[in-house]
């Protein structure tokens, strides 16, 4: 069975729906959510309703720092825009949504894999993996052979051999990558709801459970992204510009759910 990995949805309903639909067309029958389900976007309740439904069907879901922030606190370490979105999101959530977020674990271990939002090293402190030293500490903190994370919105893969230091690797577009049993792997999935690349592309991963292959799927932003932007503006907080391309980026010409299927992992 193929498993789709989604991280950093950030209340972006259009992106969530498009990624789920695309993953199902690619044969995914199972989903894993790597945290930051809410924050920034205009549809926290709708997104949580979908994800909670999949969790009831057995989908692993871990808590991200934005999910935890929506439960309370003054958030001194967050940027102004992030705090603004969190305070707005808190007002939208009901008791059911808060209970769901509060009940999420920081990490989920499954066979030879560990799912965690930020890092296996002190996951409650939300460290960022921005280089090989961070990757080495994350891998040293767990015995899992494969560690899958979000938090950093740009995708990357690290691998190591027994006794070796991690190396960063960007797979060739369109070429699935076998996850050799002789190596350990740390995959940063990238953000489904708040991608920060140029051009902006939603990300998900599709992995084979029997033949361990990981593939990255790019879903181009489309009019759905502009619908998400408009709803954020209507909702009353000023983060709409983060859902669409910035000035100078490639034109948005394709529907998100009908994007080119570039498998890069």
């Amino acid at each position: 069975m193929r498993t789709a990995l989604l991280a950093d949805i950030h209340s972006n309903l259009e992106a969530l729906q498009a990624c789920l639909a695309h993953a199902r067309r690619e044969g995914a029958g199972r989903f894993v959510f790597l945290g930051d389900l809410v924050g920034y976007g205009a549809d926290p309740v709708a997104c949580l309703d979908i994800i909670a439904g999949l969790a009831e069907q057995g989908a692993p879901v871990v808590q991200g720092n934005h999910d935890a922030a929506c439960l309370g606190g003054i958030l001194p370490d967050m940027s102004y825009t992030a705090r603004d979105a969190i305070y707005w999101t808190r007002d939208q959530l009901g008791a059911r949504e808060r209970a769901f977020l509060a009940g999420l674990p920081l990490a989920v271990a499954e066979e030879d894999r560990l799912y965690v939002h930020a890092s296996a090293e002190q996951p409650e402190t939300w460290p960022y993996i921005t280089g090989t030293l961070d990757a080495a500490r994350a891998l040293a903190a767990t015995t899992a052979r494969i560690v899958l994370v979000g938090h950093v919105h740009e995708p990357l893969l690290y691998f190591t051999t027994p006794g070796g230091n991690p190396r960063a690797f960007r797979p060739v577009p369109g070429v699935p990558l076998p996850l050799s049993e002789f190596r350990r792997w740390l995959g940063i999935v990238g953000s489904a709801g708040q991608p920060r690349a140029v051009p902006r592309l939603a990300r998900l991963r599709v992995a084979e459970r029997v033949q361990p292959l990981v593939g990255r799927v790019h879903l181009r932003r489309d009019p759905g992204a502009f619908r998400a932007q408009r709803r954020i503006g209507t909702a009353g907080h000023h983060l709409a510009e983060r859902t669409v391309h910035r000035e100078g980026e490639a034109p948005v010409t394709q529907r998100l759910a009908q994007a080119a299927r570039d498998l890069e992992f």
Side-chain angles (χ1 to χ4, degrees):
M1 179 187 297
R2 304 190 89 192
T3 298
L5 311 168
L6 295 93
D8 297 273
I9 294 161
H10 285 298
S11 302
N12 189 330
L13 181 60
E14 282 79 9
L16 174 60
Q17 291 173 328
C19 285
L20 292 176
H22 186 93
R24 288 177 173 125
R25 288 196 301 271
E26 293 295 315
R30 189 168 183 273
F31 300 92
V32 175
F33 296 92
L34 295 171
D36 275 4
L37 314 178
V38 296
Y40 295 132
D43 292 290
V45 174
C47 288
L48 290 178
D49 186 57
I50 292 171
I51 296 166
L54 291 168
E56 290 176 357
Q57 299 172 28
V61 184
V62 300
Q63 188 183 77
N65 58 307
H66 283 251
D67 307 323
C70 283
L71 299 173
I74 59 174
L75 315 178
D77 296 328
M78 278 193 168
S79 68
Y80 171 76
T81 53
R83 287 200 309 269
D84 188 55
I86 291 296
Y87 295 150
W88 179 88
T89 300
R90 287 176 182 176
D91 290 338
Q92 314 310 307
L93 301 181
R96 184 177 69 169
E97 290 80 30
R98 284 191 288 272
F100 176 71
L101 292 176
L104 294 177
L106 291 175
V108 172
E110 184 178 72
E111 298 178 359
D112 61 348
R113 299 179 296 280
L114 181 73
Y115 308 124
V116 61
H117 178 63
S119 173
E121 181 199 29
Q122 297 182 317
E124 72 283 356
T125 66
W126 317 112
Y128 287 91
I129 297 174
T130 59
T132 55
L133 292 178
D134 298 325
R137 286 193 289 265
L139 289 168
T142 177
T143 59
R145 188 174 68 88
I146 302 171
V147 180
L148 294 160
V149 307
H151 203 35
V152 178
H153 286 207
E154 287 308 303
L156 192 61
L157 185 68
Y158 295 91
F159 70 91
T160 186
T161 55
N165 294 320
R167 298 180 183 178
F169 179 70
R170 294 186 184 276
V172 177
V175 180
L177 176 68
L179 300 185
S180 167
E181 294 184 359
F182 298 101
R183 292 175 173 173
R184 298 183 69 200
W185 304 85
L186 188 151
I188 301 174
V189 171
S191 174
Q194 285 287 323
R196 294 170 187 167
V198 179
R200 299 206 172 179
L201 304 167
R203 263 91 174 186
L204 62 91
R205 298 286 185 276
V206 180
E208 293 282 0
R209 294 191 64 190
V210 179
Q211 270 315 93
L213 302 171
V214 179
R216 186 166 83 206
V217 179
H218 281 182
L219 301 181
R220 298 185 184 278
R221 307 312 287 263
D222 79 324
F226 291 99
R227 289 194 296 273
Q229 183 192 38
R230 285 195 299 271
R231 281 221 299 280
I232 292 174
T234 302
H237 65 83
H238 52 76
L239 299 166
E241 70 277 5
R242 297 186 67 170
T243 67
V244 296
H245 66 289
R246 294 175 181 169
E247 183 178 356
E249 290 182 356
V252 180
T253 59
Q254 297 186 11
R255 295 183 59 81
L256 180 60
Q258 298 175 346
R261 300 178 181 183
D262 297 334
L263 291 179
E264 293 196 354
F265 272 16

